[in-house]
């Protein structure tokens, strides 16, 4: 079955530590995205990548970093510079940056930083 | 499960009723719209989409209506089932050259047996 796999489902870290969230897709999609979800708010775009070895900042990129070395993988690092990192993180992909194709989401990683 | 929406608008219906979930979008230039369903602890799942050259689109048990004049989108679910209980998001996309979706805050649908 094709899909997007995010791991782990739950992640706990101490303040001041960097943490990397995994996202893998086998849909052969060119574009991948990271969103953050907080209670009572819509999804907010962190970073996106339209093609391998290229990525762009979204609306709330501060304190985050990404890489796109392979088409299938788009890991997100939450750095210690992110002031409020506790959230539900969602990875998504789409067929391409071409217009009008829906995003397909993984099942998320819940990050808790204490 | 995940508390993805602690203070969301909530629609409570009885099993078998028809449900209507509403969404006001913000950008008059948006020309593509999507409805997603999110169950507790899971990622959003695509339900149906519509382009701005259409007013209505039907899927299996779902219908999306678009009113561009008042920037309003609705999702109608026929014969609502307990398995339809979830948070529903609308998303809009403007022709910016990059596929950026702007998501609404969501509506929680609760279906009672």
């Amino acid at each position: 079955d094709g899909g997007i796999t995010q791991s782990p489902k739950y992640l706990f870290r101490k303040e001041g530590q960097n943490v990397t969230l995994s996202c893998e897709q086998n849909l052969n999609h060119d574009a991948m995205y990271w969103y953050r979800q907080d209670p009572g708010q819509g999804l907010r775009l962190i970073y996106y990548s339209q093609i391998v070895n290229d990525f762009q900042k979204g609306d709330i990129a501060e304190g985050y970093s990404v890489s796109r070395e392979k088409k299938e993988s788009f890991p997100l690092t939450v750095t210690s510079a992110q002031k409020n990192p506790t959230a539900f993180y969602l990875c998504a992909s789409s067929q391409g940056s071409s217009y009008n194709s829906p995003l397909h989401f993984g099942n998320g990683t819940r990050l808790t930083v204490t | 499960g995940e508390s993805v929406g602690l203070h969301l608008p909530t629609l409570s219906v009885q099993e078998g009723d028809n449900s209507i979930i509403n969404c006001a979008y913000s950008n008059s230039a948006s020309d593509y719209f999507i409805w997603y369903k999110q169950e507790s602890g899971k990622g959003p799942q695509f339900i149906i989409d519509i382009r701005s050259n259409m007013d209505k689109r039907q899927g299996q048990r779902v219908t999306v209506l678009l009113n561009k004049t008042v920037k309003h989108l609705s999702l109608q679910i026929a014969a609502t089932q307990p398995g339809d209980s979830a948070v529903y998001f609308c998303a809009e996309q403007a022709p910016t050259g990059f596929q950026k979706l702007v998501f609404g805050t969501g509506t929680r649908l609760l279906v009672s047996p």
Side-chain angles (χ1 to χ4, degrees), chain A residues 9 37 59 94 99 101 103, chain B residues 31 36 38 41 93 99-100:
Chain A
K9 187 170 177 62
Q37 187 173 38
D59 299 320
S94 66
Y99 203 47
S101 62
L103 272 61
Chain B
D31 62 356
Y36 284 95
Q38 187 174 26
Q93 182 183 68
Q99 188 181 13
K100 178 180 175 180

Side-chain angles (χ1 to χ4, degrees), chain A residues 26-42:
Chain A
N26 60 5
L27 299 167
N28 200 33
H29 285 172
D30 288 319
M32 297 187 74
Y33 312 79
W34 275 104
Y35 284 87
R36 170 182 173 137
Q37 187 173 38
D38 294 285
Q41 296 190 37

Side-chain angles (χ1 to χ4, degrees), chain A residues 38-93:
Chain A
D38 294 285
Q41 296 190 37
L43 280 66
R44 292 183 290 167
L45 182 63
I46 304 172
Y47 266 98
Y48 65 96
S49 168
Q50 296 175 277
I51 199 168
V52 174
N53 292 322
D54 183 59
F55 49 83
Q56 308 294 331
K57 292 181 179 180
D59 299 320
I60 55 165
E62 185 175 350
Y64 300 98
S65 66
V66 293
S67 62
R68 186 84 187 279
E69 297 176 2
K70 297 187 299 181
K71 186 176 185 177
E72 302 79 19
S73 179
F74 191 41
L76 173 75
T77 296
V78 184
T79 75
S80 57
Q82 167 51 232
K83 292 182 173 52
N84 188 18
T86 294
F88 189 49
Y89 290 88
L90 287 159
C91 179
S93 70

Side-chain angles (χ1 to χ4, degrees), chain A residues 9-10 33 35 37-43 45 48 50 59 88 90 94 96-108 110, chain B residues 2-8 31-32 34 36 38 41-44 46 49 51 89 93-101 103-105:
Chain A
K9 187 170 177 62
Y10 298 98
Y33 312 79
Y35 284 87
Q37 187 173 38
D38 294 285
Q41 296 190 37
L43 280 66
L45 182 63
Y48 65 96
Q50 296 175 277
D59 299 320
F88 189 49
L90 287 159
S94 66
S97 58
S98 61
Y99 203 47
N100 286 184
S101 62
L103 272 61
H104 299 265
F105 286 88
N107 279 327
R110 177 74 185 177
Chain B
E2 302 296 337
S3 297
V4 297
L6 293 178
H7 304 291
L8 293 174
D31 62 356
Y32 179 56
I34 308 175
Y36 284 95
Q38 187 174 26
K42 295 185 178 180
F46 171 83
D49 58 3
R51 291 171 175 74
F89 293 95
Q93 182 183 68
T96 61
F98 157 63
Q99 188 181 13
K100 178 180 175 180
L101 288 176
F103 288 84
T105 54

